Structure formats: structure tokens, C-alpha cells
Amino acid sequence: MIEYLNQFIADYELVIKVALIVVITIIVAKIVNKIYSKFIAKTQDTTDTDFTNYRFIQHLLSAIIYLAGFSFAIWNIPFLKPVAQSMVAGAGILAIAVGFASQQALGNIVSGVFIVLFKPYKISDRITLQDTLRGIVEDINLRHTVIRNFENQRIIIPNSLISNEVLVNSNYSDLKICKFIEVGISYNSDIDLAKGIMAEEVENHPFNIDNRTEEDIENGAPRVTVRVLMLGESSVTLRAWAWADDSQQGFQMQCDLLESIKKRFDREGINIPFPQRTISYLDSKSSNG
């Protein structure tokens, strides 16, 4: 039995050696990834830190481990040793990436590095793309950015594409957000009363914050500004400026205010007009005769 085992190992020594290297590489990558994930979780529990760099480094470490392990496995195959030498030297990496993974894949990696360095957005930021794609940045890896939208779906965008997009970042530099509360009232409604109701409802909302400067307060500027925005065909459009600490609270505040203002208008006799049409029917006999 031992002789048979020794003979088997001797016959398939190269295959066993390469397979063992590949298995060890996968195990080491998983262990490093697990340890690093625990480190990130521990850091998240203790400090308020930007995890964009940590996540990107985690993906980069995994790529390096796999690259080193597979290069070493190829090194042990005699007829593939020149390929391994090129990969280790670094020149082969570029040739293989361009030749087999295409320039687009390499462009995604470079764009990912630029995103991490210059930070137009980072993990946990709330961003909007193309006016329709909205969500929270969940991950930035070597190839693409993962965005979780508000329906809990994942939007996966290649880094080379998103780095060239014009995007709106609600968390960039300042978390505060201003929501426009716009309501149209009828021409025979009391504008001053409607403006007062809107200002009161905004000011009384728990998420509303006072965004006035000290100079504004000294000059007697109102906490909530309400102005006539437009004289439309059938309504007078009023706008109130409502400030909140962040985008999430701002959205909830906007929804609450639209409801509470509507209810106050109903109680105070302020009419919100709706389109009305008058239809005239022609008499077929008179039209023919």
C-alpha cells in the first residue's frame, strides 16, 4: 500500500504540487479576508471612519494573494515558467491584462484607484446618477462600484463608466440638505394665510433645523422662508425652504409636510386647485343643416 502510494506521488508529483499550491492560495486568501473583515468591523464599532480605503485595500490584498499564488503554481510547471517569470517581473501582468482581460478591465482598475484617491464619493454616500439611479454606495472594488437603491436592489456600475458620470452626492462635504416644499393654491385663497401655515408646519417639524447665520438672526430673518414662486394658469405656487440634518431626514420631512400642510389648508379654507375642463357637444343636426 505504501509502495503504491509512493509510486502514485512520484507519477503525479507535479499535479499534486500545483494543486496543493492552488488550495493553499485559496485558503490563505480567505483567512486574510476574514481577519481583515474583523478588523474593519472592530474599527467601525470604535470610531467613525471612512471605510472606502479599507474596502479597496481588502480587494487589492485578495488580488495580490491570488496573483502571487497562481504565479508560483505556474512557476512549478516547466513549460510555463517563462510566463511566471514575466508575471513576477511585472511586465507580464500588463500584457496579460490588456491581451486577455481587455483594456476596459484595466481601465476599471485605474478608475477605481482614482475614485479611492480623489473621493468624489465614498462608501455610505447617497448619490444620484442620470437623474434616475439613486442609492447608497455599498462597495468600491477593483472593477466596479456597487450601489444599493431604495428598493434594496444592487446597481453595479463599472468604475470606468461612473468615473466619467456627472453625479449628485448628498453627503459630499456637508450633510445638511434643503428641501423645497411647493404647493399651489387657488387665486381666491389668502396668500398671507397660506404662507403663514406653511412656515408654521415647517418650523414645527422635528427634523427641521435652523439654518440661519448669526447675522440673519440679528437682522430678524425668519427661520422658515416662504415665497410666491410662480403665477400659473390656475394656481399660485408657493415654496417653503425646509432644512434637515441629512438626506434621509429631509425626505421624511418633505413627505410629512406635504401631508400636514394639505390638512391645515383644508381646515383653514385654503383651496388647492385641480385642472378643470369644459366640454361642449355640437348638435349634429344643426351642424349638418
Side-chain angles (χ1 to χ4, degrees):
M1 182 66 180
I2 296 176
E3 293 180 359
Y4 175 78
L5 183 60
N6 291 335
Q7 184 63 37
F8 178 81
I9 293 174
D11 292 340
Y12 297 97
E13 179 181 1
L14 181 60
V15 176
I16 295 173
K17 189 174 183 180
V18 171
L20 188 61
I21 293 172
V22 171
V23 171
I24 292 175
T25 300
I26 295 173
I27 293 174
V28 170
K30 289 185 177 296
I31 292 174
V32 171
N33 188 61
K34 189 173 183 179
I35 294 173
Y36 198 85
S37 297
K38 288 183 178 179
F39 166 74
I40 295 176
K42 185 178 179 181
T43 306
Q44 188 174 14
D45 292 338
T46 55
T47 59
D48 184 14
T49 310
D50 174 18
F51 293 97
T52 304
N53 294 343
Y54 289 154
R55 291 290 187 187
F56 195 81
I57 291 173
Q58 183 180 18
H59 296 306
L60 188 60
L61 283 175
S62 297
I64 291 174
I65 291 172
Y66 281 116
L67 180 62
F70 293 154
S71 298
F72 186 61
I74 295 174
W75 184 281
N76 286 272
I77 302 175
F79 65 89
L80 291 179
K81 186 172 289 187
V83 177
Q85 290 174 342
S86 298
M87 293 176 66
V88 173
I93 297 176
L94 181 60
I96 291 175
V98 174
F100 295 97
S102 80
Q103 292 182 350
Q104 186 176 5
L106 183 61
N108 288 329
I109 296 174
V110 174
S111 297
V113 173
F114 285 158
I115 290 170
V116 172
L117 287 177
F118 296 105
K119 288 185 172 59
Y121 58 87
K122 57 185 183 295
I123 292 176
S124 299
D125 278 3
R126 186 184 297 250
I127 65 175
T128 301
L129 296 168
Q130 302 173 357
D131 295 330
T132 56
L133 302 177
R134 298 181 178 88
I136 298 172
V137 179
E138 197 170 64
D139 193 12
I140 304 171
N141 58 41
L142 294 176
R143 193 179 188 283
H144 51 252
T145 295
V146 180
I147 301 172
R148 173 172 52 85
N149 67 13
F150 302 116
E151 296 177 345
N152 204 37
Q153 298 170 325
R154 269 58 179 181
I155 304 171
I156 301 172
I157 306 175
N159 291 329
S160 59
L161 292 181
I162 196 171
S163 63
N164 293 320
E165 281 284 343
V166 176
L167 57 87
V168 178
N169 188 341
S170 301
N171 300 95
Y172 194 88
S173 180
D174 189 359
L175 293 178
K176 289 188 299 183
I177 188 170
C178 180
K179 286 293 186 180
F180 296 152
I181 312 299
E182 295 185 3
V183 182
I185 64 173
S186 62
Y187 274 92
N188 59 0
S189 295
D190 189 331
I191 292 180
D192 292 329
L193 176 60
K195 289 170 64 177
I197 291 173
M198 293 179 68
E200 287 178 11
E201 292 299 318
V202 173
E203 189 170 347
N204 292 333
H205 195 280
F207 288 159
N208 177 250
I209 62 173
D210 190 350
N211 195 54
R212 294 176 296 175
T213 63
E214 294 182 1
E215 184 179 357
D216 291 336
I217 296 175
E218 291 177 358
N219 294 332
R223 175 173 173 175
V224 179
T225 301
V226 183
R227 298 188 186 279
V228 176
L229 187 65
M230 184 177 63
L231 300 178
E233 293 182 358
S234 59
S235 65
V236 178
T237 303
L238 305 179
R239 173 187 288 181
W241 280 257
W243 287 86
D245 283 326
D246 55 48
S247 183
Q248 183 175 357
Q249 290 187 358
F251 175 76
Q252 185 175 341
M253 178 181 65
Q254 184 181 37
C255 296
D256 293 343
L257 288 175
L258 290 175
E259 180 179 349
S260 64
I261 290 173
K262 169 64 169 61
K263 292 178 179 178
R264 279 287 303 276
F265 278 5
D266 290 344
R267 292 198 298 268
E268 301 290 343
I270 303 294
N271 296 320
I272 298 177
F274 51 87
Q276 301 183 40
R277 296 181 183 275
T278 301
I279 302 176
S280 299
Y281 293 94
L282 294 176
D283 188 344
S284 59
K285 293 183 179 179
S286 60
S287 61
N288 292 330

